[in-house]
Amino acid sequence: MSIVPWSDRKVSELATRGWTVLHDFLPRDVIGQLREEAREGVARDKFREAGVGRGADHEVENAIRGDRILWIDPSDATPAQHVYWKAIEELQNDLNRELFLSLVSFESQFAVYGAGAFYKTHVDRFETADERMISCTLYLNDGWRAEDGGALRLHVEGGPIDVLPDAGTMVVFRSDSVPHEVLSSNRERYSLTGWFRRRSLRVVD
Ligand code: OGA
Ligand code: MN
């Protein structure tokens, strides 16, 4: 039995529009545990200012993004992170089967936005690397209200679409073609963002 709240309708939304939203992606207690782990990481000063770009182009750019991040190490996962990783593996298999993709790996990071932090409009695939195929962000915040700000805004046809970062909501979208931004948040905002990757198609000589 699948633990991922996935359906034919969600698959076809992703295929045709390039984005979809899943609710209750993981059980409440697991979401709460992940939020606690993120909080603890902040308290222990394990988070680092997020950057823009990759490799030698990587720069901390506060005018573009103000969040702080902590990469997850799947070989050193907590029980809650293990549940998340299992669900992600299942999602990867489903995406490969249903959408004829060739996703081979996944990378994931906690992110925290303090009050006033935002992330300006961008797409997730780097200009210098083509591995990122599908982005997904799982939100960890209990009782988020519209007045708390911090919505994820997708700039899509017929949009914009705002998604509130409420606990258990998971947004899934194409990494190459969906411009999006995080609106300024009025309270601490916790999430787990990840990217499904394919093998690079670039020819390197
Ligand atoms: C990102 C991003 C969206 C969000 O980290 O690239 O766009 O809602 N995050 O946190
Ligand atoms: Mn993004």
Side-chain angles (χ1 to χ4, degrees):
M1 240 296 274
S2 170
I3 57 165
V4 174
W6 201 226
S7 65
D8 290 349
R9 185 164 72 88
K10 302 287 178 186
V11 172
S12 81
E13 281 176 359
L14 183 59
T16 57
R17 307 187 306 202
W19 63 277
T20 189
V21 179
L22 309 178
H23 295 285
D24 298 317
F25 184 70
L26 292 178
R28 282 263 148 184
D29 57 325
V30 177
I31 296 284
Q33 185 57 38
L34 291 169
R35 180 173 59 243
E36 278 320 302
E37 289 170 11
R39 282 215 178 106
E40 201 179 296
V42 170
R44 293 190 180 175
D45 201 23
K46 286 196 191 161
F47 280 62
R48 292 289 162 261
E49 275 187 275
V52 180
R54 179 175 172 272
D57 294 336
H58 185 91
E59 274 177 87
V60 170
E61 193 52 88
N62 292 321
I64 298 177
R65 66 184 298 188
D67 57 328
R68 292 162 61 78
I69 60 160
L70 174 63
W71 288 97
I72 290 197
D73 176 0
S75 68
D76 187 29
T78 64
Q81 290 170 19
H82 188 70
V83 174
Y84 167 72
W85 213 267
K86 279 280 165 216
I88 286 293
E89 279 175 1
E90 207 173 282
L91 190 52
Q92 180 173 311
N93 289 336
D94 291 347
L95 291 168
N96 281 340
R97 191 180 56 248
E98 302 292 336
L99 298 178
F100 310 107
L101 294 173
S102 301
L103 307 172
V104 292
S105 65
F106 186 73
E107 53 184 348
S108 181
Q109 62 190 19
F110 283 111
V112 58
Y113 288 72
F118 54 81
Y119 192 166
K120 294 284 190 200
T121 303
H122 64 282
V123 290
D124 283 350
R125 183 179 290 172
F126 298 116
E127 279 171 25
T128 52
D130 63 356
E131 289 93 341
R132 286 183 175 179
M133 294 290 286
I134 305 280
S135 306
C136 53
T137 299
L138 173 64
Y139 299 107
L140 307 177
N141 312 290
D142 244 350
W144 199 271
R145 300 159 309 159
E147 55 268 39
D148 295 325
L152 171 69
R153 178 164 290 173
L154 302 172
H155 294 283
V156 290
E157 227 178 281
I161 303 286
D162 285 359
V163 181
L164 288 189
D166 199 27
T169 298
M170 166 103 146
V171 56
V172 184
F173 57 92
R174 286 179 62 140
S175 304
D176 63 336
S177 58
V178 177
H180 57 281
E181 65 181 308
V182 178
L183 303 183
S184 180
S185 186
N186 301 324
R187 79 181 236 220
E188 290 224 312
R189 174 193 194 271
Y190 294 96
S191 59
L192 251 179
T193 289
W195 297 275
F196 291 102
R197 297 155 53 105
R198 65 176 172 188
R199 276 185 228 290
S200 176
L201 303 183
R202 276 164 193 262
V203 178
V204 184
D205 46 25

